[in-house]
Every structure is written in structure tokens, then in C-alpha cells.
Amino acid sequence: MAYSVAPSSSVRVRTVMVTAGRRMLPVIGLVAALLLIWEGSKLLFGISDQRLPHLGDIVATMFTRTQGGNGPLLLVQMLINAWATLRVAMGGFFIGGLLGFGLALLFMRMPILERGLMPYVIGSQTVPILAIAPMVVVSLGRMGAEPWVAKIFVAAYLTFFPVTIGMLRGLRSASPQSLDLMRSYAASSLQTFWKLRLPASLPYLFASLKIAASASVIGAIVAELPSGSSEGIGVMILNAAQFYNSRPPALYLAILVAGLIGVVFYGLVALAERLIVKR
């Protein structure tokens, strides 16, 4: 009689680490290639440090102190402001996601509303966010709203559209055979939604949420520019741009940190998808 021996915890941990390492190899290779292209371009084309600083100079800038040498490290200040932007992006992501989810449900239940409102939903995304953000900031400011309210509003504005489209497509992705089976069981509309439509829509929902995560970060950064905010990575980008002639690496560092915010937020949504969606 054969017995199966369960792998020990150390073996499982080692397996997970090896798998994660193999998945990270393409990412590490791509980053290494980008670094080589960066430095190689400076060497081959003679690009000046004013236009494209060395990577070593950007790293060195991280560890310079702000406020005339009496403040925190620039990297620490960047991360503090990045967290402020990420908080706003998460707020807009949550509100915009709920709005998009609700609109998708409404459009599925009432197709006449979809035909009437969908052109306006699509048209709302054709207006440049750079034109909308100042209007929102000024209007809400005159109403006495806090600056972070306007930032969240702009982030939510960019978030709700992909969630609406993705969720609506997901809700309609259930096969006719599955729907007929639910009807044969005399399932109610609510039961059909919870047991069939919602599970079938999750892959579409998370695909749209990944797009919305990056869009919410863009909205949060853009909303920081006209709001006169004292915190946020958008503020750091503006400040670095003002002193670009004397410290070009600071602006590149701020841009890289802004990109890191989007990557982190995308990763959090991807992690939630891995935990929730069964493949």
C-alpha cells in the first residue's frame, strides 16, 4: 500500500520562492536592458547631463538633504509625498469603481438607459483632464470643499469609465446555456446575478480595475497641479521642474517615483485578483 508524503513547509516555501524568482527574471532583464539603453544612449549620442543625467547622479540625489541640508533626505520626502498621492488615488479609485459598478448594473437591467446615457459616458472621457481638473478644483474650492475632495473627484472621474465598460461586458459574458440552466432551476434575477453573472464578470472587472488603478494615479497627480496643494508627488514634480537647470536629476527622480506609485497600485489590484478570482 502506497502512502503519499506531504511536502514539508520548508519545501513549499522553497518552491514558492523559486517560482516567484522565475517570474521576476523577465522583469529584472527588462530593467537591466532599460538601464543599458539609458547609459548607452548618453555614450553613443553624446547627450549632455542637462538633458539626460546619469543614473548614478539620480541615485546620489536621493540621499541629498532638503531645506538647505537641514531637512530629511530627498528620497524620504519623495516617498512621503508619494503616499499622499496614493491615498488620494485610492479614494478616487474606490468612488469611481463604485460608480462604474453601479452604472454597469443599471445599464444591464435597463438597456434603454444604456442607449441614452452611454454616449455621454463615452463623451465625458474625450475632454482632456487638464481642462477639467482646474474647473473642478476652482468650483469645489469656491463651495468651501477641502482640496483633497477635488483631487479625489478628478481621480474618480478617470476611474469610473473603464470599470463601467469592463463590468458591463462581464455581466453579459455568461453563456446562453448557463442562463437557460438557471431559468430551468427557477432561479430569481438576484440568484442569477450572484451565482452566475457576478462570478463570470470578475475577470473582466479586474482587467478594468487594473486600468482604473493607473488612471486614478494620473488623476490624482494632475489634480495636485492647480490646487495649490502642499503635498503630493505632483507638487514635487513642479518644484523639481522649477530648479531643473541646477538639479536635473531631481526631476527625473520625481517622475520615476510617480511611475512607481502606478506600478504599486497596479500590483495591489493584481494581487487582489489572484486571491479572489479562481482560475
Side-chain angles (χ1 to χ4, degrees), residues 26-240:
V27 178
I28 296 173
L30 178 60
V31 171
L34 290 176
L35 297 180
L36 289 175
I37 292 173
W38 184 300
E39 292 295 335
S41 299
K42 286 183 62 63
L43 180 63
L44 291 176
F45 302 106
I47 302 176
S48 65
D49 294 343
Q50 192 71 20
R51 296 175 59 186
L52 187 67
H54 284 286
L55 294 171
D57 295 336
I58 297 176
V59 174
T61 303
M62 296 181 184
F63 302 100
T64 58
R65 292 197 173 274
T66 58
Q67 301 175 9
N70 299 320
L73 295 177
L74 181 59
L75 178 60
V76 174
Q77 191 176 34
M78 287 280 186
L79 293 178
I80 293 174
N81 284 274
W83 171 238
T85 298
L86 183 58
R87 290 200 311 265
V88 172
M90 286 181 173
F93 176 82
F94 180 75
I95 295 174
L98 286 180
L99 177 60
F101 188 88
L103 284 175
L105 291 178
L106 189 64
F107 290 164
M108 187 196 71
R109 296 294 299 172
M110 304 179 68
I112 189 172
L113 281 181
E114 179 187 1
R115 292 193 294 270
L117 295 179
M118 185 60 78
Y120 296 99
V121 172
I122 297 174
S124 68
Q125 302 300 302
T126 62
V127 182
I129 191 62
L130 289 175
I132 294 177
M135 297 169 54
V136 172
V137 171
V138 172
S139 299
L140 293 180
R142 289 178 177 176
M143 296 170 59
E146 295 292 332
W148 59 266
V149 176
K151 298 177 191 177
I152 289 180
F153 185 93
V154 175
Y157 175 82
L158 289 182
T159 301
F160 87 95
F161 178 73
V163 178
T164 301
I165 301 301
M167 188 63 188
L168 183 60
R169 183 179 179 185
L171 290 173
R172 291 174 173 168
S173 64
S175 65
Q177 294 81 3
S178 300
L179 292 172
D180 290 340
L181 182 61
M182 295 298 291
R183 295 190 192 98
S184 68
Y185 289 149
S188 64
S189 299
L190 187 60
Q191 290 174 325
T192 301
F193 171 77
W194 283 110
K195 296 183 180 298
L196 178 60
R197 291 190 183 275
L198 183 60
S201 69
L202 288 180
Y204 297 88
L205 174 61
F206 275 101
S208 61
L209 288 178
K210 291 176 183 177
I211 299 173
S214 301
S216 66
V217 174
I218 295 173
I221 293 175
V222 171
E224 290 169 355
L225 305 183
S227 65
S229 177
S230 60
E231 60 179 5
I233 199 63
V235 177
M236 297 298 295
I237 292 175
L238 281 181
N239 293 338

